[in-house]
């Protein structure tokens, strides 16, 4: 059985693939990995996993339905509002204020009629 070996040099570092070992079980694979991949280099930890258990996600699969534009996360994108949009917002706000004023007047008329 082939076992893939990943090594972490220092705490906090990523584990990097350093090779593989041939062993009949996990215990022997771990022993062989320590001998071949950790003996001569500083090693914080090793990951040893069967080759059959490693799955691959292709670039196409990783896209998850397409790349997403995340520019909304950066405040600087809000500075690029074009003038027509600003006018539309101002127009909408004035219409909302007018509608609210009319509702208040209608409520006052109902109260005076009652």
């Amino acid at each position: 059985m082939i076992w893939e070996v990943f090594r972490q040099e220092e705490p906090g570092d990523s584990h990097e693939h350093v090779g593989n070992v041939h062993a009949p079980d996990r215990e022997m694979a771990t022993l062989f990995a320590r001998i071949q991949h950790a003996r001569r280099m500083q090693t914080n930890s090793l990951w040893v996993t069967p080759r059959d258990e490693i799955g691959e996600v292709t670039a196409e699969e990783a896209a998850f339905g397409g790349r997403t534009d995340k520019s909304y996360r950066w405040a600087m994108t809000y500075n690029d509002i074009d003038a027509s949009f600003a006018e539309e917002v101002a127009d909408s706000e004035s219409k909302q204020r007018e509608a609210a004023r009319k509702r208040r007047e209608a409520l006052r008329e109902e109260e005076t009629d009652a």
Side-chain angles (χ1 to χ4, degrees), residues 1 3 22 27 32 36 59-60 65-66 78 80 82 91 95 97 100-101 103:
M1 181 176 210
W3 299 76
H22 296 261
E27 186 178 344
F32 291 161
Q36 291 180 12
E60 186 176 303
Y78 293 107
D80 296 334
D82 62 356
D91 185 45
K95 287 180 182 177
R97 281 192 295 273
R101 185 186 62 75
R103 281 193 303 274

Side-chain angles (χ1 to χ4, degrees), residues 1-2 5 8 10 30 33-34 48 55 57 64 70 74 80-83 96 105-106 108:
M1 181 176 210
I2 299 175
V5 181
Q8 181 187 48
E10 295 183 16
T30 303
R34 286 172 42 201
V48 181
V57 178
F64 299 112
K70 301 210 174 131
W74 301 99
D80 296 334
I81 297 174
D82 62 356
Q96 290 176 25
E105 288 177 1
R108 285 186 196 129

Side-chain angles (χ1 to χ4, degrees), residues 1-4 49-55:
M1 181 176 210
I2 299 175
W3 299 76
E4 298 298 330
T49 185
R51 177 179 279 175
D52 298 341
E53 295 297 318
I54 296 177

Side-chain angles (χ1 to χ4, degrees), residues 99-111:
R101 185 186 62 75
K102 287 181 180 179
R103 281 193 303 274
R104 283 192 302 272
E105 288 177 1
L107 284 173
R108 285 186 196 129
E109 287 178 14
E110 287 178 11
E111 290 174 356

Side-chain angles (χ1 to χ4, degrees), residues 10-30:
E10 295 183 16
D13 287 351
S14 299
H15 282 77
E16 295 183 12
H17 183 256
V18 291
N20 57 48
V21 294
H22 296 261
D25 58 26
R26 184 175 304 277
E27 186 178 344
M28 288 295 290
T30 303

